[in-house]
Amino acid sequence: MKTLEDLRNIRETLKVTLATRDRMGDSPVKKHIMCCGGTGCTSSKSKQIYKNFVDEIKKAGLENEIQVVLTGCFGLCAMGPIVIVYPEETFYSMVKPEDVAEIVSEHLVNGRLVHRLLYKDKAHESHEVPKLGDTDFYRKQKRVALRNCGHIDPENIDEYIAYDGYEALAKCLFELTPQQVIDTVSQSGLRGRGGGGFPTGMKWQFAKNTQNIVKYVCCNADEGDPGAFMDRSVLEGDPHAVIEAMIIAGYAIGSNQGYVYVRAEYPIAVQRLSVAIGQAREYGLLGNDILGSGFAFDIDIRLGAGAFVCGEETALMTSIEGNRGEPRPRPPFPAVKGLFGKPTLLNNVETYANIPQIILKGADWFASMGTEKSKGTKVFALGGKITNTGLVEVPMGTTLREIIEEIGGGIPGGKKFKAAQTGGPSGGCIPASLIDTPIDYDNLISIGSMMGSGGLIVMDEDTCMVDIAKFFLEFTVDESCGKCTPCRIGTKRLLEILEKITSGKGEPEDIDRLTELCRYIKDNALCGLGQTAPNPVLSTLRYFKDEYIAHINDKRCPAGVCKKLITYKITDACKGCTLCARKCPVGAISGSVREKHFIDTKTCIKCGVCMENCKFGAIIKE
């Protein structure tokens, strides 16, 4: 069993070994090669890249001077697989396994950069080679929850310890009372990062105040929003931060058992979390008498089958108990009667990832970031029509414009920004007119959206907002647990009206029907997921009502997305090359060579093949 002294000895020893990553001084290891091992890069053969580096470095006889590490997600997923060479912090992007030999021979052996693989951004296109932290993507970020992702080996507990890991736990066990721990969390202003933004310290206080011998600490790692992968990346890149925070939470509320509920579709996260829990037990950081303090706490993993509703706290607990994941009426709230009928504390991965840093650096440090009512930072999964897709962590209050244009690199292809969807199926669409809105909990709610877990989907001028509302309703209908009528039947009726509108059969009265039905579902659904399901419809009606009217009155989709409302037309620019006629799968195009062609709209199946193949831009959508 490791004592507090053992923990600190490991830290001091490893600080020397890992010195080159932070350029802290001399080290036996001269360079570190950090290979992204997140899910995105793994799907692009990053494990083979890692293996090739190990083999090539050994061939070059440099295995004692260069250490290769398979780390977590760096964040800039659009440019993966990513390889960073320390201490110079050289940033190689879109690396392939066959590129490794060149990097080793040129950069590591001969000291010459492989320029064709260097990451370039607008600020560094024509001069100096950018370091990771100097790029447009990272410059405005502030990493707290993601501080170790891409910087340590997530399967090596010693590396986590070297970067102050478990020091916050030691501080709690030996310097702070449980109430002082909760007070620190409360004073920091940390709000839950999983959805509604409930004050974390208040939730911890409720759980502590409930008198019961048995209490539980749970971690929600289900993360079901389309396009969201924040929690997955934290578990893949820094699992010990979550483990340490859960132990601290157990000490604070008086619990000896924790559960991490993680979806089975996250195999890398599950594997690394399992390894981390095993290491923590081996080091005496989980189990009985942790660090000789007398406090006992352990953690088990429970796998979810991917039901979206199990992101709701009561449904999650029902699933852990082995039952069908369905929400329960509240009150009683989980802090009073939760898992197995006992008082339970539940936070999501990102919330826990902030805790060790808050304990170590103090409540005032965390509260100094963000806005008056939304403290700290927020991790967003940036996706959709954006150049730099990936993970970003910014102080609360950062504007949508900064995230999209500066960090995200803007909209590809010179297209115009149209809207951003935050909060997934529970959130709303923010129009371009509100792009300068500071992003925090209260601002998003005031404009008809919500923070949610942190998905941020960007849409350009080619996006149909009625179709977007339909997309999220299709997801909600498919994922509804069916327990309450407003969600089970109400969302289905909403979807039917949207399908009617996008197929060209909409009526003016449908807008009023949508609004009335949305209000009813919000007021009567059993759980938070059902209550927020109408948000995509309400927000698109609020900001893009003209598109609904065009679909209904003009039988036209302004964005040219809804197939049944599209008409393809050949303009006078046609040269009569016959390519469109030859490519049309149903023979809907006719015309002679070198003469303008025509499309039979009754035969046309609106597949768009003709427009894709026209070399003269003579085919348009109306």
Side-chain angles (χ1 to χ4, degrees):
M1 179 179 291
K2 291 286 188 292
T3 65
L4 182 59
E5 183 179 356
D6 294 331
L7 187 73
R8 289 175 175 167
N9 285 339
I10 290 172
R11 178 171 299 115
E12 292 307 311
T13 301
L14 265 293
K15 273 185 178 180
V16 174
T17 305
L18 302 180
T20 52
R21 289 189 211 171
D22 281 338
R23 302 178 300 282
M24 292 164 54
D26 294 332
S27 169
V29 177
K30 301 302 181 186
K31 292 184 186 294
H32 284 81
I33 311 297
M34 312 299 288
C35 299
C36 179
T39 293
C41 288
T42 297
S43 68
S44 298
K45 302 182 180 180
S46 66
K47 285 188 176 180
Q48 187 61 48
I49 291 170
Y50 166 81
K51 183 178 183 301
N52 287 1
F53 266 113
V54 172
D55 293 343
E56 292 294 330
I57 287 170
K58 189 173 182 179
K59 285 181 188 177
L62 298 173
E63 63 268 29
N64 295 325
E65 298 181 24
I66 301 174
Q67 181 179 342
V68 188
V69 178
L70 191 64
T71 184
C73 178
F74 288 101
L76 188 48
C77 302
M79 302 306 296
I82 290 173
V83 172
I84 309 293
V85 181
Y86 287 94
E88 53 265 51
E89 209 173 323
T90 304
F91 184 175
Y92 289 117
S93 63
M94 302 183 79
V95 178
K96 297 181 177 65
E98 54 268 29
D99 296 326
V100 172
E102 183 181 358
I103 294 174
V104 172
S105 63
E106 287 296 298
H107 185 159
L108 303 181
V109 175
N110 295 312
R112 296 189 293 261
L113 298 178
V114 182
H115 286 273
R116 67 181 183 85
L117 295 173
L118 291 174
Y119 172 70
K120 298 287 179 63
D121 60 14
K122 293 178 182 178
H124 301 87
E125 284 178 345
S126 60
H127 48 288
E128 77 273 19
V129 177
K131 294 181 179 179
L132 193 69
D134 295 334
T135 61
D136 292 336
F137 183 77
Y138 291 101
R139 192 180 299 114
K140 285 202 168 185
Q141 293 194 48
K142 175 68 176 178
R143 291 189 148 210
V144 179
L146 299 179
R147 72 185 186 96
N148 285 332
C149 293
H151 203 61
I152 66 170
D153 179 351
E155 296 188 27
N156 185 339
I157 188 173
D158 289 347
E159 291 204 1
Y160 178 72
I161 291 172
Y163 287 100
D164 297 325
Y166 292 105
E167 187 65 24
L169 173 62
K171 182 177 179 179
C172 291
L173 295 178
F174 296 104
E175 299 177 26
L176 302 175
T177 65
Q179 186 58 55
Q180 287 174 323
V181 173
I182 294 175
D183 290 343
T184 300
V185 175
S186 297
Q187 291 160 14
S188 74
L190 175 66
R191 295 171 65 171
R193 299 304 197 236
F198 191 82
T200 304
M202 187 181 296
K203 182 181 281 191
W204 288 30
Q205 189 69 62
F206 289 156
K208 180 181 185 299
N209 291 346
T210 304
Q211 300 300 312
N212 202 297
I213 296 175
V214 177
K215 296 181 182 180
Y216 295 104
V217 172
C218 289
C219 175
N220 181 354
D222 188 59
E223 194 173 45
D225 288 5
F229 52 99
M230 301 76 60
D231 291 350
R232 183 193 76 196
S233 294
V234 172
L235 289 179
E236 290 176 353
D238 196 15
H240 283 285
V242 178
I243 293 170
E244 181 177 13
M246 290 181 69
I247 303 170
I248 290 171
Y251 172 73
I253 72 166
S255 169
N256 303 115
Q257 178 64 49
Y259 290 96
V260 180
Y261 186 85
V262 56
R263 55 180 46 216
E265 292 98 324
Y266 286 177
I268 297 176
V270 171
Q271 186 258 336
R272 289 180 182 165
L273 181 62
S274 300
V275 169
I277 288 174
Q279 291 173 340
R281 285 177 180 150
E282 181 183 348
Y283 274 43
L285 295 163
L286 284 174
N288 296 317
D289 194 25
I290 295 173
L291 294 177
S293 67
F295 175 65
F297 189 84
D298 205 354
I299 295 174
D300 290 314
I301 298 173
R302 292 292 182 268
L303 299 183
F308 178 63
V309 73
C310 287
E312 195 275 337
E313 60 180 5
T314 61
L316 181 151
M317 294 175 196
T318 303
S319 181
I320 290 178
E321 294 168 355
N323 300 312
R324 187 172 187 266
E326 293 181 335
R328 305 166 181 167
R330 298 179 303 175
F333 291 94
V336 176
K337 186 179 180 181
L339 185 62
F340 303 117
K342 304 298 182 183
T344 303
L345 172 67
L346 175 69
N347 290 119
N348 82 324
V349 169
E350 186 184 343
T351 308
Y352 282 125
N354 284 286
I355 296 296
Q357 291 299 291
I358 290 173
I359 297 298
L360 277 182
K361 297 183 178 179
D364 291 343
W365 165 80
F366 189 81
S368 68
M369 299 178 284
T371 63
E372 182 181 355
K373 294 183 179 179
S374 299
K375 305 296 186 182
T377 61
K378 181 72 188 78
V379 180
F380 291 99
L382 193 57
K385 303 293 184 67
I386 190 78
T387 300
N388 295 330
T389 56
L391 281 183
V392 303
E393 184 173 5
V394 293
M396 291 280 196
T398 301
T399 66
L400 192 59
R401 183 187 297 277
E402 290 176 286
I403 295 174
I404 293 172
E405 295 184 358
E406 298 182 37
I407 297 173
I411 315 298
K415 299 286 186 177
K416 293 180 181 179
F417 169 68
K418 185 172 186 177
Q421 163 82 9
T422 64
S426 301
C429 294
I430 305 168
S433 60
L434 297 175
I435 193 172
D436 291 309
T437 300
I439 302 299
D440 65 15
Y441 291 101
D442 301 303
N443 283 338
L444 288 180
I445 290 173
S446 70
I447 60 176
S449 189
M450 66 181 295
M451 187 76 73
S453 57
L456 203 167
I457 308 299
V458 180
M459 291 163 268
D460 68 11
E461 59 193 81
D462 294 334
T463 304
C464 172
M465 303 312 296
V466 185
D467 185 65
I468 284 293
K470 187 178 75 169
F471 166 79
F472 283 109
L473 259 294
E474 287 172 340
F475 179 86
T476 304
V477 167
D478 188 53
E479 292 290 343
S480 173
C481 75
K483 186 170 184 177
C484 73
T485 303
C487 184
R488 182 182 71 249
I489 304 298
T491 57
K492 179 64 175 174
R493 295 292 86 85
L494 280 178
L495 178 58
E496 288 171 353
I497 297 173
L498 292 171
E499 287 174 335
K500 177 184 173 187
I501 293 172
T502 56
S503 66
K505 300 176 182 178
E507 303 169 325
E509 296 79 13
D510 285 334
I511 291 179
D512 292 333
R513 293 185 185 117
L514 283 173
T515 304
E516 182 180 359
L517 190 50
C518 284
R519 298 298 180 193
Y520 178 82
I521 296 170
K522 286 182 74 71
D523 292 341
N524 294 282
L526 174 61
C527 76
L529 298 183
Q531 292 159 12
T532 56
N535 283 349
V537 179
L538 288 172
S539 64
T540 51
L541 278 171
R542 179 177 177 182
Y543 297 115
F544 302 97
K545 193 172 183 177
D546 58 324
E547 292 196 28
Y548 282 85
I549 293 172
H551 281 70
I552 293 170
N553 294 346
D554 304 334
K555 307 304 178 187
R556 179 178 63 89
C557 175
V561 171
C562 300
K563 276 192 174 184
K564 293 186 178 180
L565 298 178
I566 296 173
T567 299
Y568 286 92
K569 179 181 177 181
I570 299 178
T571 70
D572 291 339
C574 176
K575 305 296 183 183
C577 71
T578 75
L579 181 61
C580 59
R582 285 182 279 126
K583 292 289 185 178
C584 180
V586 293
I589 301 177
S590 60
S592 301
V593 178
R594 296 181 183 175
E595 293 182 2
K596 180 182 176 183
H597 283 45
F598 298 91
I599 299 175
D600 181 353
T601 55
K602 292 182 179 179
T603 306
C604 177
I605 60 172
K606 303 173 183 180
C607 63
V609 170
C610 57
M611 189 173 178
E612 292 172 6
N613 285 277
C614 182
K615 298 178 180 179
F616 306 103
I619 302 178
I620 60 172
K621 287 191 291 186
E622 290 185 335

